[in-house]
Amino acid sequence: MFRRRRLAAWRLRLIWDLMFATAVECTRGDTPRPPARTMGATVTETERIRNFCIIAHIDHGKSTLADRLLELTHAVSARDMREQYLDKMDLERERGITIKAQAVRLTYATGGVSYELNLIDTPGHVDFTYEVSRSLAACEGAVLLVDASQGIEAQTLANFHLARDAGLVIVPVVNKIDLPAADVEGTRRDLAELVGCEPEQVLAVSGKTGQGVPELLEAIIARVPPPEGRPSDPLRALVFDSTFDPYRGVIAYVRVKDGVLRSHAELHAMAVGLDWEAEEVGVFAPEATPVPELGPGEVGYLVTGLKDVHQVRVGDTITSQGRDRAHEPLPGYREPKPMVWSGLFPAEGGDYSALRDALEKLKLNDAALVFEPETSSALGFGFRCGFLGLLHMDIVKERLEREFGLELIATAPNVEFHVIRGDRTIVVHNPSEMPPPGTYDRVEEPVVLATIITPSEYLGAVLELCQSRRGEMVDMKYLSPTRVEVHYLLPLAEIIFDFFDQLKSRTRGYASLDYEPWGYEPADLVRVDILLHGEPVDAFSSVVHREKAYQYGRTMVERLRELIPRQLFDVAIQAAIGSRVIARETVKAKRKDVLAKCYGGDITRKRKLLEQQKKGKERLRRVGRVDVPQTAFIEALRVDQDRR
């Protein structure tokens, strides 16, 4: 009996030793490891993590390539697969652009080893560069994608410099090699020269057919380094994005740098100084999937349960409470500087509180949005909002209307001006804040450094367009015998409206544009006021260059003459610079003479009654007010934007 028990114990111990040895060998990578993982990362597991993003010019195939990566790694079943899978918003799918960066975890096995790939799909438009910069901070590598038929474009250069400055390993890739007009070898040489590698190291893929995508995954695993960090260190997790759920509160998207982030852990936000208990942590695979913990290098989400949107900030560092708290926060993000300002007002005055709450919740999901309360005599209470560009403004307005059920009026967009008065500098966001002429020394307007890449045959048209917008050439460089890169200093106010459309029109769609802030330069700017019956309407005021003041004033008064309904008296619509009127139109009065009670009798009775009504109309002209309907505001401002 005793021997049988010892033999059974020996067999059990032998089985245990074999299981332990197998686990050790799996950790070393000598044998395949199961891809599913429910615990946080260890030191050896961290070496099998790759964090990367896809960056490119707009419409170069980022979302399509991400779809092929999802299919190849079986992250999404064939039944659930759809085009632009990571573009969650209807607005993104309708416009065919990526607005929000999206993170997803993929599992890919190669060489008997299963790797965890955290992919972040980024936007490509210049207005959403801040989204790209925040995504780069959560990665160690970037796939630089270039369309084989379009070549290197302006935003390609901008994103390349962002990734290089962030210290990321860049994997150059030529996309859309299946197109008939694709110049694969030429694009490969240009991209190799830009990145500084051999042309053979530039991969060629087709996001539509999937050709070359497996080789891309192999290159990402081979070239992108694993994240650094140890689970034994104090917890430090970077909040790179966030959103708001009405039932679960603020949901933060985090990248764990050091330590382990567990569900129901006692956490501390270092920037805000807030303590709370985490409700849940998880990953996007690609749908939200809860996990017990997130280890070093992993990307996922954190359900905070906080209902106050001000208590979680993008760029904050999450750490543990008590003695395990980290002492140094992670480097955050530089605050984005708004380029375009516009007023947002609710069409119904009672929706002001709803608009304020909507803006606060939307700012969680769009950290580049800036807003402050303002009051308009014509539109009531609203907010002055800062945007990164005109497309950003359009997207924010449409998201507020769709996601929060609001009806909004947006005033004419303008840029930020600096009014110099002696040693004092006045920052002007709203044209109504502009001091009258003669009360200040000078006005400075923002200037941007624009990068334009165009085919050489359209160079003359591009230079003519830039000169007409008060531009100053910095330099010009031929990227190839057929492609030119031009740098111009341009006033921001001249390019935020229709400059991009004009550039595409004059180059048949081949030119590309990117710009970055340069500084402020003195300019001859004036404020053009629109007066209705002698009263200025601040919603129609605008700060423009003196040379274009008459054109703006003439267009606005002509349009308002068609939109404002006729009154019982003549309504004068004037455009003025200070006290000088530069344009005028008149809305003629209705002829509403009441003669019903003057039936029969002499004609003098009717004349006497008409004279009395004439005196009443003269008095009404002196004390009457012009009520501009909301539809007229909307149409006038929309026409102004389209015209520009």
Side-chain angles (χ1 to χ4, degrees):
M1 178 70 68
F2 181 75
R3 290 182 62 184
R4 285 199 299 269
R5 289 180 179 177
R6 287 187 61 182
L7 182 61
W10 178 80
R11 288 176 178 172
L12 183 61
R13 182 174 180 180
L14 179 62
I15 294 173
W16 176 261
D17 290 341
L18 289 173
M19 292 176 60
F20 180 79
T22 303
V24 171
E25 292 299 317
C26 287
T27 305
R28 291 175 180 171
D30 298 332
T31 58
R33 180 172 62 94
R37 193 156 57 89
T38 58
M39 299 301 291
T42 64
V43 175
T44 52
E45 287 177 331
T46 305
E47 297 175 357
R48 307 186 186 194
I49 298 176
R50 299 293 185 272
N51 299 319
F52 70 100
C53 60
I54 304 177
I55 55 176
H57 189 85
I58 188 171
D59 199 30
H60 276 213
K62 297 179 299 299
S63 298
T64 306
L65 178 60
D67 290 344
R68 301 293 81 78
L69 293 175
L70 292 174
E71 290 179 347
L72 183 62
T73 56
H74 306 289
V76 182
S77 63
R79 180 180 61 182
D80 298 332
M81 191 62 195
R82 64 175 188 273
E83 293 184 3
Q84 295 178 255
Y85 189 87
L86 294 181
D87 293 340
K88 303 296 184 182
M89 290 187 289
D90 294 337
L91 197 56
E92 293 177 311
R93 306 180 65 80
E94 292 173 7
R95 298 190 177 219
I97 60 175
T98 300
I99 298 171
K100 284 294 300 176
Q102 297 291 339
V104 60
R105 172 184 287 190
L106 310 174
T107 302
Y108 184 72
T110 178
V113 181
S114 180
Y115 289 90
E116 175 189 307
L117 308 178
N118 292 310
L119 160 67
I120 301 180
D121 183 24
T122 62
H125 196 277
V126 62
D127 283 10
F128 304 108
T129 303
Y130 189 61
E131 289 283 324
V132 179
S133 66
R134 290 189 290 119
S135 302
L136 295 176
C139 301
E140 283 79 31
V143 174
L144 182 62
L145 206 63
V146 175
D147 189 335
S149 61
Q150 302 273 345
I152 296 176
E153 300 199 58
Q155 196 64 20
T156 308
L157 297 175
N159 288 332
F160 165 73
H161 292 304
L162 282 176
R164 187 184 61 181
D165 295 342
L168 270 62
V169 173
I170 298 174
V171 181
V173 179
V174 177
N175 191 25
K176 301 186 181 180
I177 61 175
D178 57 309
L179 294 180
D183 181 13
V184 180
E185 295 304 321
T187 307
R188 177 176 277 172
R189 288 193 300 270
D190 295 341
L191 190 53
E193 183 180 354
L194 174 66
V195 178
C197 64
E198 297 297 327
E200 294 76 17
Q201 295 178 301
V202 179
L203 304 176
V205 304
S206 171
K208 183 177 181 181
T209 64
Q211 178 183 352
V213 176
E215 291 78 5
L216 172 60
L217 283 176
E218 298 283 348
I220 291 172
I221 293 173
R223 301 184 192 180
V224 176
E228 299 178 354
R230 295 182 300 178
S232 58
D233 292 342
L235 171 64
R236 291 196 304 171
L238 178 67
V239 180
F240 67 90
D241 204 352
S242 57
T243 185
F244 184 81
D245 185 274
Y247 301 102
R248 313 191 75 180
V250 178
I251 300 177
Y253 299 170
V254 296
R255 155 71 194 272
V256 179
K257 295 285 187 179
D258 301 305
V260 178
L261 177 60
R262 297 182 175 88
S263 298
H264 306 292
E266 300 289 336
L267 300 178
H268 173 76
M270 301 186 73
V272 183
L274 177 70
D275 295 334
W276 83 96
E277 180 181 347
E279 290 189 1
E280 177 184 296
V281 297
V283 298
F284 297 99
E287 304 301 329
T289 305
V291 296
E293 59 187 35
L294 295 174
E298 294 191 304
V299 178
Y301 66 87
L302 167 65
V303 180
T304 64
L306 301 173
K307 300 299 183 180
D308 188 353
V309 297
H310 300 286
Q311 293 177 338
V312 178
R313 297 180 183 176
V314 171
D316 200 351
T317 300
I318 305 297
T319 185
S320 304
Q321 298 182 22
R323 292 180 298 177
D324 296 333
R325 178 183 301 182
H327 299 290
E328 293 293 331
L330 295 167
Y333 307 102
R334 61 177 180 85
E335 289 294 326
K337 184 174 179 59
M339 308 285 281
V340 179
W341 294 82
S342 175
L344 289 181
F345 296 85
E348 300 294 334
D351 291 339
Y352 174 76
S353 299
L355 176 59
R356 180 187 57 210
D357 295 340
L359 284 170
E360 290 177 348
K361 292 176 181 178
L362 188 61
K363 183 172 174 58
L364 271 179
N365 197 240
D366 186 355
L369 176 63
V370 178
F371 61 92
E372 57 186 22
E374 79 164 343
T375 306
S376 169
S377 59
L379 301 176
F381 293 98
F383 292 90
R384 196 74 187 170
C385 301
F387 309 96
L388 297 182
L390 212 58
L391 177 62
H392 185 209
M393 168 188 163
D394 189 24
I395 294 297
V396 167
K397 180 175 179 293
E398 195 159 351
R399 288 188 66 184
L400 288 171
E401 293 177 338
R402 288 192 181 194
E403 299 176 16
F404 301 95
L406 299 171
E407 184 180 355
L408 302 177
I409 301 173
T411 61
N414 63 277
V415 299
E416 178 182 284
F417 301 100
H418 289 175
V419 179
I420 310 300
R421 182 186 296 168
D423 297 334
R424 182 185 175 192
T425 301
I426 304 173
V427 180
V428 175
H429 295 158
N430 193 336
S432 62
E433 302 172 355
M434 186 83 169
T439 61
Y440 52 84
D441 298 332
R442 67 181 187 277
V443 181
E444 295 181 350
E445 65 176 345
V447 176
V448 297
L449 176 62
T451 302
I452 302 173
I453 297 180
T454 177
S456 55
E457 58 185 297
Y458 303 113
L459 180 60
V462 171
L463 297 181
E464 181 185 358
L465 174 63
C466 293
Q467 291 298 131
S468 66
R469 300 303 177 95
R470 300 188 284 126
E472 177 184 346
M473 180 184 286
V474 177
D475 60 21
M476 181 173 62
K477 178 175 66 175
Y478 276 83
L479 301 176
S480 68
T482 59
R483 294 175 67 83
V484 186
E485 178 183 350
V486 185
H487 291 94
Y488 255 93
L489 288 178
L490 288 164
L492 179 61
E494 296 286 347
I495 69 172
I496 62 172
F497 291 101
D498 68 338
F499 182 84
F500 185 73
D501 296 336
Q502 289 290 328
L503 181 66
K504 288 292 185 181
S505 176
R506 298 191 184 199
T507 61
R508 298 185 180 180
Y510 287 108
S512 60
L513 169 70
D514 181 67
Y515 58 86
E516 59 184 21
W518 179 262
Y520 284 80
E521 297 290 340
D524 188 10
L525 302 175
V526 293
R527 187 183 77 187
V528 179
D529 293 320
I530 304 299
L531 289 75
L532 296 181
H533 202 55
E535 294 292 331
V537 182
D538 54 0
F540 295 139
S541 298
S542 182
V543 178
V544 298
H545 196 267
R546 189 178 296 274
E547 295 177 354
K548 299 185 178 181
Y550 174 77
Q551 178 186 357
Y552 173 79
R554 170 54 54 189
T555 303
M556 286 299 295
V557 297
E558 290 178 353
R559 187 57 184 169
L560 286 173
R561 181 175 61 85
E562 301 173 0
L563 295 173
I564 294 178
R566 297 171 65 186
Q567 313 288 324
L568 292 177
F569 52 91
D570 289 349
V571 177
I573 307 173
Q574 299 169 309
I577 301 175
S579 59
R580 183 169 65 91
V581 176
I582 60 174
R584 172 184 171 130
E585 291 288 340
T586 303
V587 179
K588 292 298 182 181
K590 294 180 180 178
R591 180 172 178 82
K592 190 173 181 181
D593 299 326
V594 183
L595 299 174
K597 61 182 179 180
C598 288
Y599 56 90
D602 190 72
I603 187 64
T604 56
R605 296 183 58 202
K606 295 182 179 179
R607 290 176 178 170
K608 183 178 180 181
L609 184 57
L610 290 175
E611 287 296 326
Q612 292 177 349
Q613 293 179 14
K614 184 178 180 181
K615 293 179 181 179
K617 290 178 182 179
E618 290 178 355
R619 179 176 178 273
L620 186 62
R621 187 179 297 112
R622 292 194 302 269
V623 301
R625 294 187 58 187
V626 181
D627 292 327
V628 182
Q630 298 286 2
T631 55
F633 275 106
I634 297 173
E635 289 299 321
L637 295 175
R638 180 181 295 125
V639 168
D640 177 56
Q641 295 173 24
D642 294 342
R643 176 190 63 80
R644 291 187 169 212

